[in-house]
Amino acid sequence: MTLLPSAIEIIVGILLLFGGGELFVGGSTALALLLGIPQIVIGLTVVSLGTSAPELFVSLISTIQGGDDIAVSNIVGSNIFNVLVVLGLSALVVPLRVKSRLVRRDVPLLLGVSMAVWGMASGGRLTWQAGVALLVGTVINLVWEMRTAGENPDEAGDIDDNDRATPPVAAAKLAGGLVLLVVGSQVLVKGATTAAIALGVSQTVIGLTIVAAGTSMPELVTSLVAAYRGKADLAIGNVVGSNLLNQLVILGLCGVASGGAGLTVDPVMVNRDFPIMVLTTLACLPIFWTNGVITRLEGGILVGLYGLYLVEQVLTNTVTSAVDEFRLVALVVVVPLVLVFLVWQTLRWRQERHA
């Protein structure tokens, strides 16, 4: 079975998702402004959900079509990609200054949600009751965000006059974006599933890598442009906000859509990828603490870690005899070095604070 048609479908699906996400954000933002919704609410809801729209449609459609592996792996893989690649590349463009709100509230919240989701999925199945609980958590978080938004009026979001449009234009953008997202999701899922069969690998691996990277393109482009323009808040907040929405909204909806059968979770993901997702989030705290800046060195380390993650995925499905040796090297060499670096950064930060 040739891979060319599947590769074309994957590329076309990603392009459609990217275009649909752009139109969806533009249309929904313009419509919200026309309705007089405060800009802070737009930034906290519409823009964040807009960049996560590809993940939403891909995972939801996969769930409806019975592709639980792609649905869950897409969310977990996107979260890992967002922290290691999106945040890492953004810091390589320009060192990112971190707002204290992220350290005090948003990253600890994301860490707590990630651990809770891991616990919910640990039995190999995410029930519809767990999905409802995640959606309730979404509402609670949204109310909390809106109530505390006034404390940081300068973090209202990147909304300006260019986001405004007439009602017909706003409606056309919104409708066009939704159509592209639906079609792009179906094309990408079909191409990814066919590629998995042709390559002889599981749909979980395809979801964790190709699909996850593809659906995270809006976050990547948004954060890179924001970093280049000196808007570190938007670059970092986009990653943290998207990771929260991926788990609370998207995984919650997929859990509810799965019905009584629940959402099946690959045991490999429970034992390997969920812990990696939690650890990458946990690593953000000491990185964010150090002088309130994500340096280029730290960004390079994050991107390098994702490279190791990809190598492990490839070896697991190709050169299986080398997997154990690679994991041993990572465990004995890479992990201790990263831990030493994080501890050193934290200690240096504490010394500078008390100097």
Side-chain angles (χ1 to χ4, degrees):
M1 184 182 295
T2 177
L3 283 174
L4 183 59
S6 300
I8 293 174
E9 285 180 330
I10 289 172
I11 294 171
V12 170
I14 290 173
L15 291 175
L16 289 174
L17 286 171
F18 183 77
E22 287 292 301
L23 284 175
F24 182 81
V25 171
S28 52
T29 301
L31 186 61
L33 289 172
L34 287 169
L35 294 174
I37 298 174
Q39 291 188 6
I40 181 63
V41 179
I42 298 172
L44 292 171
T45 57
V46 175
V47 175
S48 295
L49 183 58
T51 57
S52 294
E55 286 96 332
L56 170 61
F57 280 85
V58 167
S59 291
L60 200 54
I61 288 176
S62 296
T63 301
I64 294 172
Q65 295 179 348
D68 291 5
D69 289 341
I70 288 183
V72 179
S73 61
N74 174 43
I75 294 169
V76 176
S78 292
N79 279 19
I80 295 172
F81 185 90
N82 285 345
V83 172
L84 297 182
V85 178
V86 177
L87 204 57
L89 287 179
S90 298
L92 285 174
V93 171
V94 60
L96 304 175
R97 183 160 296 280
V98 183
K99 288 282 186 179
S100 60
R101 172 191 171 99
L102 281 167
V103 179
R104 289 184 291 105
R105 179 199 184 281
D106 296 301
V107 175
L109 174 62
L110 176 59
L111 179 61
V113 170
S114 300
M115 294 179 68
V117 169
W118 181 17
M120 291 175 178
S122 60
R125 191 170 301 276
L126 191 82
T127 64
W128 68 266
Q129 293 94 334
V132 170
L134 291 173
L135 293 177
V136 171
T138 304
V139 176
I140 295 173
N141 180 56
L142 178 59
V143 172
W144 188 14
E145 286 275 16
M146 292 172 63
R147 289 180 65 89
T148 59
E151 302 172 4
N152 301 273
D154 59 321
E155 298 177 17
D158 196 37
I159 310 296
D160 54 39
D161 289 335
N162 294 327
D163 296 303
R164 301 182 185 277
T166 61
V169 172
K173 284 185 175 180
L174 192 60
L178 288 172
V179 170
L180 289 179
L181 284 168
V182 171
V183 175
S185 301
Q186 292 178 328
V187 173
L188 179 58
V189 170
K190 181 176 180 295
T193 303
T194 307
I197 295 173
L199 291 170
V201 301
S202 67
Q203 293 184 22
T204 299
V205 173
I206 296 293
L208 285 167
T209 53
I210 298 174
V211 177
T215 56
S216 292
M217 285 300 108
E219 286 94 336
L220 178 60
V221 173
T222 299
S223 290
L224 285 176
V225 171
Y228 179 75
R229 293 178 178 174
K231 297 180 179 180
D233 291 347
L234 182 60
I236 301 171
N238 176 47
V239 170
V240 176
S242 294
N243 280 15
L244 267 174
L245 286 174
N246 283 349
Q247 296 178 85
L248 292 175
V249 178
I250 302 175
L251 198 57
L253 287 174
C254 290
V256 172
S258 67
L263 200 62
T264 304
V265 181
D266 191 329
V268 174
M269 287 189 63
V270 174
N271 297 323
R272 181 190 63 190
D273 301 292
F274 272 100
I276 291 175
M277 181 181 73
V278 171
L279 288 174
T280 54
T281 305
L282 180 62
C284 283
L285 281 174
I287 289 176
F288 284 10
W289 282 338
T290 51
N291 297 320
V293 176
I294 307 176
T295 65
R296 285 192 172 93
L297 175 60
E298 291 165 341
I301 290 174
L302 291 175
V303 175
L305 288 175
Y306 189 75
L308 292 176
Y309 175 71
L310 283 183
V311 170
E312 198 273 345
Q313 292 282 352
V314 172
L315 290 178
T316 300
N317 293 276
T318 53
V319 190
T320 54
S321 58
V323 174
D324 291 337
E325 288 81 358
F326 178 81
R327 289 175 178 171
L328 181 62
V329 171
L331 186 63
V332 175
V333 179
V334 178
V335 173
L337 285 176
V338 172
L339 290 176
V340 167
F341 174 77
L342 292 176
V343 171
W344 173 71
Q345 287 284 74
T346 303
L347 291 175
R348 191 183 68 170
W349 170 72
R350 289 175 63 88
Q351 288 176 350
E352 291 176 353
R353 279 192 65 189
H354 292 92

